Coordinates of all heavy atoms in Angstrom, one line a residue:
M35 N 0.8 -1.2 0.0 CA 0.0 0.0 0.0 C 0.9 1.2 0.0 O 1.8 1.4 0.8 CB -0.9 -0.1 1.2 CG -2.0 0.9 1.3 SD -3.1 0.6 2.7 CE -4.6 0.6 1.8
Q36 N 0.6 2.2 -0.9 CA 1.4 3.4 -1.1 C 1.5 4.2 0.2 O 2.4 4.9 0.5 CB 0.9 4.2 -2.2 CG 1.8 5.3 -2.6 CD 1.3 6.0 -3.9 OE1 0.2 5.7 -4.4 NE2 2.0 7.0 -4.3
A37 N 0.4 4.2 1.0 CA 0.3 5.0 2.2 C 1.4 4.5 3.2 O 2.0 5.4 3.8 CB -1.1 4.9 2.8
F38 N 1.5 3.2 3.4 CA 2.5 2.7 4.3 C 3.9 3.1 3.8 O 4.8 3.4 4.7 CB 2.4 1.2 4.5 CG 1.2 0.8 5.3 CD1 0.2 0.1 4.7 CD2 1.0 1.3 6.6 CE1 -0.9 -0.3 5.5 CE2 -0.1 0.9 7.4 CZ -1.1 0.1 6.8
L39 N 4.2 3.0 2.6 CA 5.5 3.4 2.0 C 5.8 4.9 2.3 O 6.9 5.2 2.7 CB 5.6 3.1 0.5 CG 5.6 1.7 0.1 CD1 5.5 1.5 -1.4 CD2 6.8 1.0 0.7
A40 N 4.8 5.7 2.1 CA 5.0 7.1 2.4 C 5.3 7.4 3.8 O 6.1 8.3 4.2 CB 3.7 7.9 1.9
L41 N 4.6 6.7 4.7 CA 4.8 6.9 6.2 C 6.0 6.2 6.7 O 6.4 6.4 7.9 CB 3.5 6.4 6.9 CG 2.2 7.2 6.6 CD1 1.1 6.5 7.3 CD2 2.4 8.6 7.1
G42 N 6.7 5.5 5.9 CA 7.9 4.8 6.3 C 9.1 5.7 6.5 O 10.2 5.3 6.9
Q43 N 9.0 7.0 6.1 CA 10.0 8.0 6.2 C 9.7 8.8 7.4 O 8.6 9.3 7.5 CB 10.1 8.8 4.9 CG 11.4 9.4 4.6 CD 11.6 10.7 5.4 OE1 10.6 11.3 5.8 NE2 12.8 11.1 5.6
E44 N 10.7 9.0 8.3 CA 10.5 9.7 9.6 C 9.9 11.1 9.4 O 8.9 11.5 10.1 CB 11.8 9.8 10.4 CG 11.6 10.3 11.7 CD 12.9 10.3 12.6 OE1 13.9 9.9 12.1 OE2 12.8 10.8 13.7
S45 N 10.4 11.9 8.5 CA 9.9 13.3 8.4 C 8.5 13.3 7.9 O 7.6 14.0 8.4 CB 10.8 14.1 7.4 OG 12.0 14.3 8.0
R46 N 8.1 12.4 7.0 CA 6.8 12.3 6.5 C 5.8 11.9 7.6 O 4.7 12.3 7.7 CB 6.7 11.5 5.2 CG 7.2 12.1 4.0 CD 6.8 11.4 2.7 NE 7.4 10.2 2.5 CZ 8.6 10.0 1.9 NH1 9.2 11.1 1.4 NH2 9.1 8.8 1.8
L47 N 6.3 10.9 8.4 CA 5.5 10.4 9.5 C 5.2 11.5 10.5 O 4.1 11.7 10.9 CB 6.1 9.2 10.2 CG 5.4 8.6 11.4 CD1 4.0 8.1 10.9 CD2 6.2 7.5 12.0
N48 N 6.2 12.3 10.8 CA 6.1 13.4 11.7 C 5.1 14.5 11.2 O 4.3 15.0 11.9 CB 7.4 14.1 12.0 CG 8.3 13.2 12.9 OD1 7.8 12.3 13.6 ND2 9.6 13.4 12.8
I49 N 5.2 14.8 9.9 CA 4.3 15.8 9.2 C 2.9 15.2 9.3 O 2.0 16.0 9.6 CB 4.8 16.0 7.8 CG1 6.1 16.7 7.7 CG2 3.7 16.8 7.0 CD1 6.8 16.7 6.4
F50 N 2.7 14.0 8.9 CA 1.4 13.4 8.9 C 0.8 13.4 10.3 O -0.4 13.8 10.4 CB 1.5 12.0 8.3 CG 0.1 11.3 8.3 CD1 -0.8 11.6 7.4 CD2 -0.1 10.2 9.1 CE1 -2.0 11.0 7.3 CE2 -1.4 9.6 9.1 CZ -2.3 9.9 8.2
C51 N 1.5 13.0 11.3 CA 1.0 13.0 12.7 C 0.6 14.4 13.1 O -0.5 14.6 13.7 CB 2.0 12.4 13.6 SG 2.3 10.6 13.4
L52 N 1.4 15.4 12.8 CA 1.0 16.8 13.1 C -0.3 17.2 12.5 O -1.1 17.8 13.1 CB 2.2 17.7 12.7 CG 2.0 19.2 13.0 CD1 1.9 19.4 14.5 CD2 3.1 20.0 12.4
I53 N -0.4 16.9 11.2 CA -1.6 17.3 10.5 C -2.8 16.5 11.0 O -3.9 17.1 11.1 CB -1.4 17.2 9.0 CG1 -0.3 18.2 8.5 CG2 -2.7 17.3 8.2 CD1 0.1 18.0 7.1
V54 N -2.7 15.3 11.3 CA -3.8 14.5 11.8 C -4.2 15.1 13.2 O -5.4 15.2 13.5 CB -3.4 13.0 11.9 CG1 -4.4 12.2 12.8 CG2 -3.3 12.3 10.6
Q55 N -3.3 15.4 14.0 CA -3.6 16.0 15.3 C -4.4 17.3 15.1 O -5.3 17.6 15.9 CB -2.3 16.3 16.1 CG -1.6 15.1 16.6 CD -0.2 15.4 17.2 OE1 0.2 16.6 17.2 NE2 0.5 14.4 17.5
R56 N -4.1 18.1 14.1 CA -4.8 19.3 13.8 C -6.2 19.1 13.3 O -7.1 19.9 13.4 CB -4.0 20.1 12.8 CG -4.5 21.5 12.6 CD -4.2 22.4 13.7 NE -4.6 23.8 13.3 CZ -5.3 24.6 14.0 NH1 -5.5 24.4 15.3 NH2 -5.6 25.8 13.5
G57 N -6.4 17.9 12.7 CA -7.7 17.5 12.2 C -8.2 18.4 11.0 O -7.4 18.8 10.1
D58 N -9.5 18.6 11.0 CA -10.1 19.3 9.8 C -9.7 20.7 9.7 O -9.8 21.3 8.6 CB -11.6 19.2 10.0 CG -12.3 19.5 8.7 OD1 -11.8 19.1 7.6 OD2 -13.4 20.2 8.7
H59 N -9.1 21.3 10.7 CA -8.6 22.7 10.6 C -7.4 22.8 9.6 O -7.2 23.8 9.0 CB -8.1 23.2 12.0 CG -9.3 23.3 12.9 ND1 -10.3 24.3 12.8 CD2 -9.6 22.6 14.0 CE1 -11.1 24.1 13.8 NE2 -10.8 23.1 14.5
G60 N -6.6 21.7 9.6 CA -5.4 21.7 8.7 C -4.3 22.6 9.1 O -4.4 23.4 10.1
L61 N -3.3 22.6 8.3 CA -2.1 23.4 8.6 C -1.6 24.0 7.2 O -1.7 23.3 6.2 CB -1.0 22.6 9.3 CG -1.2 22.3 10.7 CD1 -0.2 21.2 11.2 CD2 -1.2 23.5 11.6
T62 N -1.0 25.1 7.3 CA -0.3 25.7 6.1 C 1.2 25.2 6.2 O 1.6 24.8 7.3 CB -0.3 27.2 6.1 OG1 0.4 27.7 7.3 CG2 -1.7 27.8 6.1
P63 N 1.9 25.2 5.1 CA 3.3 24.8 5.1 C 4.1 25.7 6.1 O 4.9 25.1 6.8 CB 3.8 25.1 3.7 CG 2.5 24.8 2.9 CD 1.4 25.4 3.7
S64 N 3.8 27.0 6.2 CA 4.6 27.8 7.2 C 4.3 27.4 8.6 O 5.2 27.4 9.5 CB 4.3 29.3 7.0 OG 2.9 29.5 7.1
Q65 N 3.1 26.9 8.9 CA 2.8 26.4 10.3 C 3.5 25.1 10.6 O 4.0 24.9 11.7 CB 1.3 26.2 10.5 CG 0.5 27.5 10.5 CD -1.0 27.3 10.4 OE1 -1.5 26.5 9.6 NE2 -1.7 28.0 11.3
I66 N 3.7 24.3 9.5 CA 4.4 23.0 9.7 C 5.9 23.3 9.9 O 6.5 22.7 10.8 CB 4.1 22.1 8.5 CG1 2.7 21.7 8.3 CG2 5.0 20.8 8.6 CD1 2.3 21.1 7.0
I67 N 6.4 24.2 9.1 CA 7.8 24.6 9.3 C 8.1 25.1 10.7 O 9.0 24.8 11.3 CB 8.2 25.6 8.2 CG1 8.3 25.0 6.8 CG2 9.6 26.3 8.6 CD1 8.4 26.0 5.7
E68 N 7.1 25.9 11.2 CA 7.3 26.5 12.5 C 7.3 25.4 13.6 O 8.1 25.5 14.5 CB 6.1 27.5 12.8 CG 6.2 28.2 14.1 CD 5.0 29.1 14.3 OE1 4.7 29.9 13.4 OE2 4.3 29.0 15.3
K69 N 6.4 24.4 13.4 CA 6.3 23.4 14.4 C 7.5 22.3 14.3 O 8.0 21.9 15.4 CB 5.0 22.6 14.3 CG 3.8 23.5 14.5 CD 3.5 23.6 16.0 CE 2.2 24.2 16.2 NZ 1.9 24.5 17.6
L70 N 7.9 22.0 13.1 CA 8.8 20.9 12.9 C 10.2 21.3 12.5 O 11.1 20.5 12.6 CB 8.3 19.9 11.9 CG 6.9 19.2 12.3 CD1 6.5 18.3 11.2 CD2 7.0 18.4 13.6
G71 N 10.3 22.6 12.1 CA 11.7 23.0 11.6 C 12.2 22.4 10.4 O 13.4 22.3 10.2
I72 N 11.4 21.9 9.5 CA 11.8 21.3 8.3 C 12.0 22.4 7.2 O 11.1 23.2 7.1 CB 10.7 20.3 7.8 CG1 10.6 19.1 8.8 CG2 11.1 19.7 6.4 CD1 9.4 18.2 8.5
P73 N 13.1 22.4 6.5 CA 13.3 23.4 5.5 C 12.2 23.4 4.4 O 11.7 22.3 4.1 CB 14.7 23.0 4.8 CG 15.3 22.1 5.9 CD 14.2 21.5 6.6
N74 N 11.9 24.5 3.9 CA 10.8 24.7 2.9 C 10.9 23.7 1.7 O 9.9 23.0 1.4 CB 10.7 26.1 2.4 CG 9.5 26.4 1.7 OD1 8.4 25.8 1.9 ND2 9.5 27.3 0.8
A75 N 12.0 23.6 1.1 CA 12.1 22.7 -0.1 C 11.9 21.3 0.3 O 11.3 20.5 -0.4 CB 13.5 22.9 -0.7
T76 N 12.5 20.9 1.4 CA 12.3 19.5 1.9 C 10.8 19.2 2.3 O 10.3 18.2 1.9 CB 13.2 19.2 3.2 OG1 14.5 19.5 2.8 CG2 13.1 17.8 3.6
L77 N 10.2 20.2 2.9 CA 8.8 20.1 3.3 C 7.9 19.9 2.0 O 7.0 19.1 2.0 CB 8.3 21.3 4.1 CG 6.8 21.2 4.5 CD1 6.5 20.0 5.4 CD2 6.5 22.5 5.2
S78 N 8.2 20.7 1.0 CA 7.4 20.6 -0.2 C 7.5 19.2 -0.8 O 6.4 18.7 -1.3 CB 7.9 21.6 -1.2 OG 7.7 22.9 -0.8
F79 N 8.6 18.6 -0.8 CA 8.8 17.3 -1.3 C 8.0 16.3 -0.5 O 7.3 15.4 -1.1 CB 10.3 16.9 -1.3 CG 10.5 15.4 -1.6 CD1 10.5 15.0 -2.9 CD2 10.8 14.5 -0.6 CE1 10.7 13.7 -3.2 CE2 11.0 13.2 -0.9 CZ 11.0 12.8 -2.2
H80 N 8.1 16.4 0.8 CA 7.4 15.4 1.7 C 5.8 15.6 1.6 O 5.1 14.6 1.5 CB 7.8 15.6 3.1 CG 9.2 15.1 3.3 ND1 9.7 13.9 2.9 CD2 10.2 15.7 4.0 CE1 10.9 13.7 3.3 NE2 11.3 14.8 3.9
L81 N 5.4 16.8 1.5 CA 3.9 17.1 1.3 C 3.4 16.5 0.0 O 2.4 15.9 0.0 CB 3.6 18.6 1.4 CG 3.7 19.2 2.8 CD1 3.6 20.7 2.7 CD2 2.7 18.6 3.8
K82 N 4.2 16.7 -1.0 CA 3.8 16.1 -2.3 C 3.7 14.6 -2.2 O 2.8 14.0 -2.8 CB 4.9 16.5 -3.4 CG 4.5 16.0 -4.8 CD 5.6 16.3 -5.8 CE 6.7 15.4 -5.5 NZ 7.6 14.8 -6.4
E83 N 4.6 13.9 -1.6 CA 4.6 12.5 -1.4 C 3.3 12.0 -0.6 O 2.7 11.1 -1.0 CB 5.9 12.0 -0.7 CG 7.1 12.1 -1.6 CD 7.1 11.2 -2.8 OE1 6.7 10.0 -2.7 OE2 7.4 11.8 -3.9
L84 N 3.0 12.8 0.4 CA 1.9 12.4 1.2 C 0.5 12.7 0.5 O -0.4 11.9 0.6 CB 1.9 13.3 2.5 CG 3.0 12.9 3.5 CD1 3.1 13.9 4.6 CD2 2.7 11.5 4.1
V85 N 0.5 13.7 -0.3 CA -0.7 14.0 -1.2 C -0.8 12.9 -2.2 O -1.9 12.4 -2.5 CB -0.6 15.4 -1.8 CG1 -1.7 15.5 -2.9 CG2 -0.8 16.5 -0.7
N86 N 0.3 12.5 -2.8 CA 0.3 11.5 -3.9 C -0.1 10.1 -3.3 O -0.7 9.3 -4.0 CB 1.7 11.3 -4.6 CG 1.9 12.5 -5.5 OD1 1.0 13.2 -5.9 ND2 3.2 12.7 -5.8
A87 N 0.2 9.9 -2.0 CA -0.2 8.6 -1.4 C -1.7 8.7 -0.9 O -2.2 7.8 -0.3 CB 0.7 8.3 -0.2
N88 N -2.3 9.9 -1.1 CA -3.7 10.1 -0.7 C -3.9 10.2 0.8 O -5.0 10.1 1.2 CB -4.6 9.1 -1.4 CG -6.1 9.6 -1.5 OD1 -6.3 10.8 -1.6 ND2 -7.0 8.7 -1.5
L89 N -2.8 10.4 1.5 CA -2.9 10.6 3.0 C -3.4 12.0 3.4 O -4.0 12.2 4.4 CB -1.6 10.3 3.6 CG -1.2 8.8 3.6 CD1 0.3 8.6 3.9 CD2 -2.0 8.1 4.7
L90 N -3.0 13.0 2.5 CA -3.4 14.4 2.8 C -4.2 14.9 1.7 O -4.0 14.6 0.5 CB -2.2 15.2 3.0 CG -1.2 14.9 4.1 CD1 0.0 15.9 4.1 CD2 -1.9 14.9 5.4
L91 N -5.1 15.8 2.0 CA -5.9 16.6 1.0 C -5.4 18.0 1.1 O -5.0 18.5 2.2 CB -7.4 16.6 1.4 CG -8.0 15.2 1.5 CD1 -9.4 15.3 2.0 CD2 -7.9 14.4 0.2
V92 N -5.3 18.7 0.0 CA -4.8 20.1 0.0 C -5.9 21.0 -0.7 O -6.5 20.6 -1.6 CB -3.4 20.2 -0.7 CG1 -3.5 19.7 -2.2 CG2 -2.9 21.6 -0.6
E93 N -6.0 22.1 0.0 CA -7.0 23.1 -0.5 C -6.4 24.5 -0.5 O -5.7 24.8 0.4 CB -8.2 23.1 0.4 CG -9.3 24.1 0.1 CD -10.4 24.2 1.2 OE1 -10.5 23.3 2.0 OE2 -11.1 25.2 1.1
R94 N -6.6 25.2 -1.6 CA -6.1 26.6 -1.6 C -7.2 27.5 -1.0 O -8.4 27.5 -1.4 CB -5.9 27.0 -3.1 CG -5.3 28.5 -3.2 CD -4.8 28.8 -4.5 NE -3.6 28.1 -4.9 CZ -2.4 28.4 -4.5 NH1 -2.3 29.4 -3.6 NH2 -1.4 27.8 -4.9
Q95 N -6.7 28.3 -0.1 CA -7.6 29.4 0.5 C -6.8 30.7 0.4 O -5.8 30.9 1.0 CB -7.9 29.1 2.0 CG -8.8 28.0 2.3 CD -9.1 27.8 3.8 OE1 -8.5 28.5 4.6 NE2 -10.0 26.9 4.1
S96 N -7.3 31.5 -0.5 CA -6.7 32.7 -0.9 C -5.2 32.4 -1.4 O -5.1 31.7 -2.3 CB -6.7 33.7 0.3 OG -6.1 34.9 0.0
R97 N -4.2 32.9 -0.7 CA -2.8 32.7 -1.1 C -2.2 31.5 -0.4 O -1.1 31.1 -0.6 CB -2.0 33.9 -0.8 CG -2.4 35.1 -1.6 CD -1.5 36.2 -1.4 NE -1.1 36.5 0.0 CZ -0.2 37.3 0.4 NH1 0.4 38.0 -0.4 NH2 0.0 37.5 1.7
N98 N -3.0 30.8 0.5 CA -2.5 29.7 1.3 C -2.9 28.4 0.9 O -4.1 28.2 0.4 CB -2.9 29.9 2.8 CG -2.3 31.1 3.4 OD1 -1.2 31.4 3.3 ND2 -3.2 31.9 4.1
L99 N -2.0 27.4 1.0 CA -2.4 26.0 0.9 C -2.7 25.5 2.3 O -1.9 25.6 3.2 CB -1.3 25.2 0.2 CG -1.0 25.6 -1.3 CD1 0.2 24.8 -1.8 CD2 -2.2 25.4 -2.2
I100 N -3.8 24.7 2.4 CA -4.1 24.1 3.7 C -4.1 22.6 3.5 O -4.8 22.1 2.6 CB -5.5 24.6 4.2 CG1 -5.7 26.1 4.2 CG2 -5.9 23.9 5.5 CD1 -4.9 26.8 5.1
Y101 N -3.3 22.0 4.3 CA -3.2 20.5 4.3 C -4.0 19.9 5.4 O -3.8 20.3 6.6 CB -1.7 20.1 4.3 CG -0.9 20.4 3.1 CD1 -0.4 21.7 3.0 CD2 -0.8 19.5 2.1 CE1 0.3 22.0 1.8 CE2 -0.2 19.8 0.9 CZ 0.4 21.1 0.8 OH 1.1 21.4 -0.4
R102 N -4.8 18.9 5.0 CA -5.7 18.2 6.0 C -5.5 16.7 5.8 O -5.2 16.3 4.7 CB -7.2 18.6 5.8 CG -7.5 20.0 6.1 CD -9.0 20.3 5.9 NE -9.3 21.7 6.2 CZ -9.3 22.7 5.4 NH1 -8.9 22.5 4.2 NH2 -9.6 23.9 5.8
P103 N -5.8 16.0 6.9 CA -5.7 14.5 6.7 C -6.9 14.0 5.9 O -8.0 14.6 5.9 CB -5.8 14.0 8.1 CG -6.5 15.1 8.9 CD -6.1 16.3 8.2
N104 N -6.7 13.0 5.1 CA -7.8 12.4 4.3 C -8.4 11.4 5.3 O -8.0 10.3 5.5 CB -7.2 11.6 3.1 CG -8.3 10.9 2.4 OD1 -9.4 10.7 2.8 ND2 -8.0 10.4 1.2
A105 N -9.5 11.8 6.0 CA -10.1 11.1 7.1 C -10.5 9.7 6.7 O -10.4 8.7 7.4 CB -11.3 11.9 7.6
D106 N -11.0 9.5 5.5 CA -11.5 8.2 5.0 C -10.3 7.2 4.9 O -10.4 6.1 5.4 CB -12.1 8.3 3.6 CG -13.4 9.0 3.7 OD1 -14.1 9.1 4.7 OD2 -13.9 9.6 2.6
L107 N -9.1 7.7 4.4 CA -8.0 6.8 4.4 C -7.4 6.6 5.7 O -7.0 5.4 6.0 CB -6.9 7.4 3.4 CG -5.7 6.4 3.1 CD1 -6.2 5.1 2.6 CD2 -4.8 7.1 2.2
V108 N -7.4 7.6 6.6 CA -6.9 7.4 7.9 C -7.7 6.3 8.6 O -7.2 5.4 9.3 CB -6.9 8.7 8.7 CG1 -6.6 8.5 10.2 CG2 -5.9 9.7 8.1
Q109 N -9.0 6.4 8.5 CA -9.9 5.4 9.1 C -9.7 4.0 8.5 O -9.6 3.0 9.2 CB -11.4 5.8 8.9 CG -12.4 4.9 9.6 CD -12.2 4.9 11.1 OE1 -12.3 6.0 11.7 NE2 -12.1 3.7 11.7
A110 N -9.5 3.9 7.2 CA -9.3 2.6 6.5 C -7.9 2.0 7.0 O -7.9 0.8 7.2 CB -9.3 2.8 5.0
L111 N -6.9 2.8 7.1 CA -5.6 2.3 7.6 C -5.8 1.8 9.1 O -5.3 0.7 9.4 CB -4.6 3.4 7.6 CG -4.1 3.8 6.2 CD1 -3.1 5.0 6.3 CD2 -3.4 2.7 5.5
S112 N -6.5 2.6 9.9 CA -6.7 2.2 11.3 C -7.5 0.9 11.3 O -7.1 -0.1 12.1 CB -7.4 3.3 12.0 OG -7.7 2.9 13.3
D113 N -8.5 0.8 10.6 CA -9.3 -0.5 10.5 C -8.5 -1.6 10.1 O -8.6 -2.7 10.7 CB -10.5 -0.3 9.6 CG -11.6 0.7 10.1 OD1 -11.5 1.0 11.3 OD2 -12.4 1.1 9.3
F114 N -7.7 -1.4 9.0 CA -6.8 -2.5 8.5 C -5.9 -3.0 9.6 O -5.7 -4.2 9.8 CB -6.0 -2.0 7.3 CG -5.0 -3.0 6.8 CD1 -5.3 -4.1 6.1 CD2 -3.7 -2.8 7.2 CE1 -4.4 -5.0 5.6 CE2 -2.7 -3.7 6.8 CZ -3.0 -4.8 6.0
L115 N -5.2 -2.1 10.3 CA -4.3 -2.5 11.3 C -5.0 -3.2 12.5 O -4.4 -4.2 13.0 CB -3.5 -1.2 11.8 CG -2.6 -0.6 10.8 CD1 -2.0 0.7 11.4 CD2 -1.4 -1.6 10.5
L116 N -6.1 -2.7 12.9 CA -6.8 -3.3 14.0 C -7.4 -4.7 13.6 O -7.4 -5.6 14.5 CB -7.9 -2.4 14.5 CG -7.4 -1.2 15.3 CD1 -8.5 -0.2 15.6 CD2 -6.6 -1.6 16.5
E117 N -7.9 -4.9 12.4 CA -8.4 -6.1 12.0 C -7.4 -7.2 11.9 O -7.7 -8.4 12.0 CB -9.1 -6.0 10.6 CG -10.4 -5.2 10.6 CD -10.9 -4.9 9.2 OE1 -10.4 -5.4 8.2 OE2 -11.9 -4.1 9.1
N118 N -6.1 -6.8 11.6 CA -5.1 -7.8 11.4 C -4.1 -7.9 12.5 O -3.0 -8.5 12.4 CB -4.3 -7.4 10.1 CG -5.2 -7.6 8.9 OD1 -5.6 -8.7 8.6 ND2 -5.7 -6.5 8.3
C119 N -4.4 -7.3 13.7 CA -3.5 -7.4 14.8 C -3.9 -8.5 15.7 O -5.0 -9.1 15.6 CB -3.3 -6.1 15.5 SG -4.7 -5.7 16.5
C120 N -3.1 -8.9 16.7 CA -3.4 -9.8 17.7 C -3.8 -11.2 17.2 O -4.6 -11.9 17.8 CB -4.4 -9.3 18.7 SG -4.0 -7.7 19.4
D121 N -3.3 -11.5 16.0 CA -3.6 -12.9 15.4 C -5.1 -13.2 15.3 O -5.5 -14.3 15.5 CB -2.8 -14.0 16.2 CG -2.7 -15.2 15.4 OD1 -2.6 -15.1 14.1 OD2 -2.6 -16.3 16.0
G122 N -5.8 -12.1 15.0 CA -7.3 -12.3 14.9 C -8.1 -12.2 16.1 O -9.3 -12.2 16.1
A123 N -7.4 -12.2 17.3 CA -8.2 -12.1 18.6 C -8.5 -10.7 18.8 O -7.8 -9.8 18.4 CB -7.3 -12.7 19.7
P124 N -9.6 -10.4 19.6 CA -9.9 -9.1 20.0 C -8.7 -8.4 20.7 O -8.1 -9.0 21.5 CB -11.1 -9.2 20.9 CG -11.6 -10.5 20.6 CD -10.5 -11.4 20.2
C125 N -8.5 -7.2 20.4 CA -7.4 -6.4 21.0 C -7.9 -5.9 22.4 O -8.9 -5.3 22.5 CB -6.9 -5.3 20.2 SG -6.2 -5.8 18.6
I126 N -7.1 -6.1 23.3 CA -7.3 -5.6 24.7 C -6.2 -4.6 25.0 O -5.1 -5.0 25.1 CB -7.4 -6.7 25.7 CG1 -8.5 -7.7 25.4 CG2 -7.6 -6.1 27.1 CD1 -8.5 -8.9 26.3
P127 N -6.6 -3.3 25.0 CA -5.6 -2.3 25.3 C -4.9 -2.5 26.7 O -5.6 -2.9 27.6 CB -6.3 -1.0 25.3 CG -7.7 -1.3 24.9 CD -7.9 -2.7 24.9
I128 N -3.7 -2.4 26.8 CA -2.9 -2.5 28.0 C -3.0 -1.2 28.7 O -2.5 -0.2 28.1 CB -1.5 -3.0 27.8 CG1 -1.5 -4.4 27.2 CG2 -0.7 -3.0 29.1 CD1 -0.1 -4.8 26.7
K129 N -3.5 -1.1 29.9 CA -3.6 0.1 30.6 C -2.3 0.2 31.5 O -2.0 -0.7 32.2 CB -4.8 0.2 31.5 CG -6.1 0.3 30.6 CD -7.3 0.5 31.5 CE -8.5 0.6 30.6 NZ -9.7 0.8 31.4
T130 N -1.7 1.4 31.5 CA -0.6 1.6 32.3 C -1.0 2.6 33.4 O -1.7 3.5 33.1 CB 0.6 2.1 31.5 OG1 0.2 3.3 30.9 CG2 1.1 1.1 30.5
S131 N -0.5 2.3 34.6 CA -0.8 3.3 35.6 C 0.5 4.1 35.9 O 1.6 3.5 35.9 CB -1.3 2.6 36.9 OG -0.3 1.7 37.4
R132 N 0.3 5.3 36.3 CA 1.4 6.2 36.6 C 1.2 6.6 38.1 O 0.1 7.0 38.4 CB 1.5 7.4 35.7 CG 1.9 7.0 34.3 CD 2.0 8.3 33.5 NE 2.3 8.0 32.2 CZ 2.4 8.9 31.2 NH1 2.2 10.1 31.5 NH2 2.7 8.5 30.0
K133 N 2.3 6.5 38.8 CA 2.2 6.9 40.2 C 2.4 8.5 40.2 O 3.3 9.0 39.5 CB 3.2 6.3 41.1 CG 3.0 4.8 41.3 CD 4.0 4.3 42.2 CE 3.8 2.8 42.4 NZ 4.8 2.2 43.3
M134 N 1.5 9.1 40.9 CA 1.6 10.6 41.0 C 2.7 11.0 41.9 O 2.8 10.4 43.0 CB 0.3 11.2 41.4 CG -0.8 11.0 40.4 SD -2.4 11.7 40.9 CE -1.9 13.4 40.7
K135 N 3.5 11.9 41.6 CA 4.5 12.5 42.5 C 3.9 13.3 43.5 O 3.0 14.1 43.2 CB 5.5 13.3 41.7 CG 6.4 12.4 40.7 CD 7.4 13.3 40.1 CE 8.2 12.5 39.1 NZ 9.2 13.3 38.4
Q136 N 4.3 13.1 44.7 CA 3.7 13.9 45.8 C 4.8 14.8 46.4 O 5.9 14.6 46.4 CB 3.2 13.0 46.9 CG 2.0 12.2 46.4 CD 1.5 11.3 47.5 OE1 2.0 11.2 48.6 NE2 0.3 10.7 47.3

């Protein structure tokens, strides 16, 4: 799947995670640069790869490009991973407890 190949590169994974966290509001390239410190030319290349893998949607608003996650594909990837994990058995999340510092 092209999406997994695109996410196999650390910078693209970081970009994708940041944009997914932002949700439907999306981010402009300048906001991504501000958050991740990726050079503009490098960011352009990675955004193009993520758009080509259909992981991100891009929309022009005035002079800005807004990048948003492709929610349908994010859901499909999540479903695929959950359906095929734990050798077919239902997944039971492991809860971790943290002791509070006093």
Side-chain angles (χ1 to χ4, degrees):
M35 188 174 235
Q36 190 176 2
F38 287 119
L39 291 173
L41 294 174
Q43 201 282 335
E44 185 177 2
S45 292
R46 283 194 291 271
L47 180 59
N48 291 337
I49 294 164
F50 180 71
C51 288
L52 179 65
I53 293 172
V54 167
Q55 289 170 3
R56 187 72 174 142
D58 196 41
H59 296 287
L61 290 168
T62 64
S64 59
Q65 292 171 315
I66 298 167
I67 290 169
E68 182 180 311
K69 296 278 188 189
L70 299 178
I72 297 172
N74 191 29
T76 304
L77 178 62
S78 295
F79 171 78
H80 290 312
L81 288 171
K82 182 184 72 146
E83 291 296 312
L84 291 166
V85 169
N86 286 341
N88 204 25
L89 288 162
L90 298 181
L91 305 173
V92 61
E93 175 188 346
R94 180 171 291 283
Q95 287 184 356
S96 184
R97 296 184 315 172
N98 296 315
L99 294 175
I100 308 295
Y101 289 87
R102 294 183 176 87
N104 179 347
D106 292 336
L107 186 56
V108 171
Q109 184 66 53
L111 289 173
S112 177
D113 291 346
F114 172 79
L115 291 171
L116 291 173
E117 288 171 10
N118 292 291
C119 74
C120 302
D121 201 26
C125 293
I126 301 173
I128 298 173
K129 293 183 180 181
T130 58
S131 64
R132 293 184 182 175
K133 292 184 180 178
M134 293 181 69
K135 292 183 181 180
Q136 295 181 352

